[in-house]
């Protein structure tokens, strides 16, 4: 059986929404010191809706595919729906990721959450800190080889 699904390969080879957004309303960056992957998400938000989303990912194929899929899943959606996106949903939408690569989809979820937190901060919107990743994220699962 192939290690990666067709969908993972497709999003890895033709990633959607790559790039940056000038004057973004929210920017979120997460990194993993151990595997060295860095993911940055840019959001354009109007009327509580994700009007546009772009990403830059320096990392493994699964991280790129996860960012691509995650951005597709929140584009055009209300902020609350983007907040509710889980790495599990991203991995499922990709028809699965190998177990040792699941942490790559966690990066996508966290980068989006951080970008939303940035949006809330900039606009003085109150939120519960517990809903967001901690400042220093450490994935013990990232001791694996990329
Ligand atoms: Fe892909 Fe860690 S995020 S190897």
């Amino acid at each position: 059986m192939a290690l990666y699904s067709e969908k993972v390969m497709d999003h890895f080879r033709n990633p959607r929404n790559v790039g940056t957004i000038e004057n973004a309303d929210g920017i979120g960056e997460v990194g993993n010191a151990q595997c060295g992957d860095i993911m940055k998400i840019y959001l354009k938000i109007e009327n509580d809706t994700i009007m546009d989303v772009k990403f830059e990912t320096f990392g493994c194929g699964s991280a790129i595919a996860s960012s691509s899929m995650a951005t597709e899943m929140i584009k055009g959606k209300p902020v609350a729906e983007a907040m509710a996106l889980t790495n599990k949903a991203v991995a499922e939408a990709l028809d699965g990721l190998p177990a040792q690569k699941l942490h790559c989809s966690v990066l996508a979820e966290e980068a989006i959450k951080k970008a939303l937190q940035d949006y809330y901060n900039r606009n003085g919107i109150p939120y519960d800190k517990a809903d967001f990743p901690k400042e220093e994220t450490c994935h013990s699962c990232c001791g694996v080889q990329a």
Side-chain angles (χ1 to χ4, degrees):
M1 204 186 90
L3 192 55
Y4 293 105
S5 72
E6 283 292 320
K7 274 200 191 156
V8 173
M9 293 311 292
D10 176 35
H11 280 264
F12 167 58
R13 290 199 182 106
N14 308 296
R16 300 8 166 218
N17 309 311
V18 175
T20 62
I21 295 177
E22 238 180 273
N23 303 318
D25 298 304
I27 299 174
E29 183 174 331
V30 289
N32 183 294
Q34 286 206 29
C35 67
D37 285 3
I38 299 171
M39 197 178 285
K40 199 164 176 179
I41 296 268
Y42 300 79
L43 298 174
K44 192 82 212 152
I45 300 174
E46 271 168 42
N47 297 325
D48 214 34
T49 302
I50 313 286
M51 301 306 283
D52 199 10
V53 49
K54 294 262 190 282
F55 79 88
E56 292 176 307
T57 292
F58 303 93
C60 70
S62 299
I64 292 167
S66 295
S67 324
S68 171
M69 180 55 89
T71 54
E72 284 288 272
M73 290 170 83
I74 63 166
K75 206 174 185 176
K77 299 279 166 54
V79 166
E81 247 180 79
M83 256 315 282
L85 184 76
T86 63
N87 81 296
K88 196 165 170 275
V90 174
E92 271 167 19
L94 286 168
D95 289 339
L97 282 168
Q100 72 272 30
K101 287 285 174 186
L102 273 176
H103 65 271
C104 312
S105 60
V106 174
L107 275 189
E109 177 192 326
E110 291 188 342
I112 288 171
K113 288 223 165 80
K114 276 210 156 184
L116 289 168
Q117 188 176 28
D118 183 37
Y119 165 71
Y120 288 159
N121 284 338
R122 289 183 197 208
N123 290 281
I125 301 169
Y127 58 83
D128 186 348
K129 269 201 173 147
D131 291 338
F132 293 92
K134 298 212 173 46
E135 264 322 298
E136 288 306 319
T137 42
C138 166
H139 300 280
S140 55
C141 54
C142 236
V144 298
Q145 292 243 275

